[in-house]
Amino acid sequence: MDDAVAWSRDRLLAWSDFQAEFNPAAPEDAHSAIRFRPTWTVDSDSRQDEIMFLLKDLRLHTEFLPLLSWVRPTQSGDTILLHERGRFDLAELARRETANLQRDFENRLFPTRGKNEEQRKQYAREDSARMIAVKIEVVMREFGRRSAEYDIQTDFGRDVSWQTKYDDTFAHLRS
């Protein structure tokens, strides 16, 4: 069962969302597991005796994974929660600024392979998933880079001045 929490301007993370058992060997006091999950449909079109596929309704969702996220019980204070909420917002910001899947894929035709209609449909699903996965890797790398910078600049939320600067940026996502 997937209990992912989709990013929403109306939904803030709470400590109750961090459901995994904490890792005593980890240096950090909390861990937020975040993913970018795509959804799309594949359609096909014939062009000059060649079957082409196109992607429709392409969306990329930023999701928090409660069953993989944890907090050290002795550290579950407001400062760290605010910082982890910021990490989720940072992921959404990275998605918005890095992933333009509609521009890259929608309203474009891509060739497909296969000897019959059923094979072509299967290959179109596989090929589109592979193309989208490459773009998601770019978003993940950018989020990873920004997340490391966020932790350093804010000293994991302890530097109030830097954390406030980030919080002001994140507030624009919720307005």
Side-chain angles (χ1 to χ4, degrees):
M1 182 173 177
D2 192 344
D3 292 335
V5 175
W7 187 94
S8 164
R9 67 173 38 113
D10 302 321
R11 167 79 159 76
L12 294 175
L13 293 178
W15 281 131
S16 60
D17 293 316
F18 292 72
Q19 297 174 6
E21 195 169 315
F22 83 98
N23 181 352
E28 63 265 13
D29 292 325
H31 174 75
S32 293
I34 297 169
R35 73 175 174 201
F36 299 99
R37 184 181 57 82
T39 57
W40 72 97
T41 57
V42 178
D43 204 354
S44 60
D45 193 14
S46 286
R47 295 285 167 101
Q48 300 164 341
D49 295 332
E50 187 177 6
I51 301 294
M52 307 289 279
F53 73 89
L54 61 143
L55 306 179
K56 293 182 175 179
D57 304 317
L58 186 54
R59 303 281 183 266
L60 188 60
H61 310 274
T62 305
E63 295 178 333
F64 176 85
L65 305 173
L67 299 177
L68 299 175
S69 301
W70 54 265
V71 60
R72 193 177 305 277
T74 59
Q75 299 299 318
S76 58
D78 293 341
T79 301
I80 294 175
L81 179 58
L82 183 65
H83 184 72
E84 292 306 311
R85 283 177 180 163
R87 186 177 319 283
F88 194 25
D89 289 340
L90 189 63
E92 174 64 12
L93 191 62
R95 181 200 65 81
R96 289 181 186 189
E97 293 176 354
T98 308
N100 192 338
L101 299 180
Q102 288 79 16
R103 179 200 67 216
D104 294 339
F105 296 118
E106 285 193 354
N107 301 316
R108 292 182 56 197
L109 292 171
F110 300 94
T112 191
R113 40 202 169 103
K115 296 178 182 171
N116 58 48
E117 186 67 22
E118 216 33 60
Q119 279 185 347
R120 288 184 194 112
K121 286 180 182 178
Q122 181 62 34
Y123 284 130
R125 283 190 290 271
E126 290 174 13
D127 293 347
S128 64
R130 195 172 8 265
M131 291 182 338
I132 292 167
V134 168
K135 294 294 183 178
I136 291 173
E137 275 302 311
V138 171
V139 178
M140 286 297 298
R141 278 194 306 275
E142 179 62 14
F143 169 58
R145 184 192 68 73
R146 290 181 183 195
S147 188
E149 184 177 272
Y150 174 63
D151 287 339
I152 290 167
Q153 289 179 332
T154 65
D155 189 22
F156 297 90
R158 291 184 288 267
D159 185 322
V160 176
S161 173
W162 269 105
Q163 187 67 54
T164 301
K165 288 177 187 176
Y166 274 99
D167 294 342
D168 290 345
T169 300
F170 301 147
H172 295 293
L173 291 172
R174 300 194 181 280
S175 56

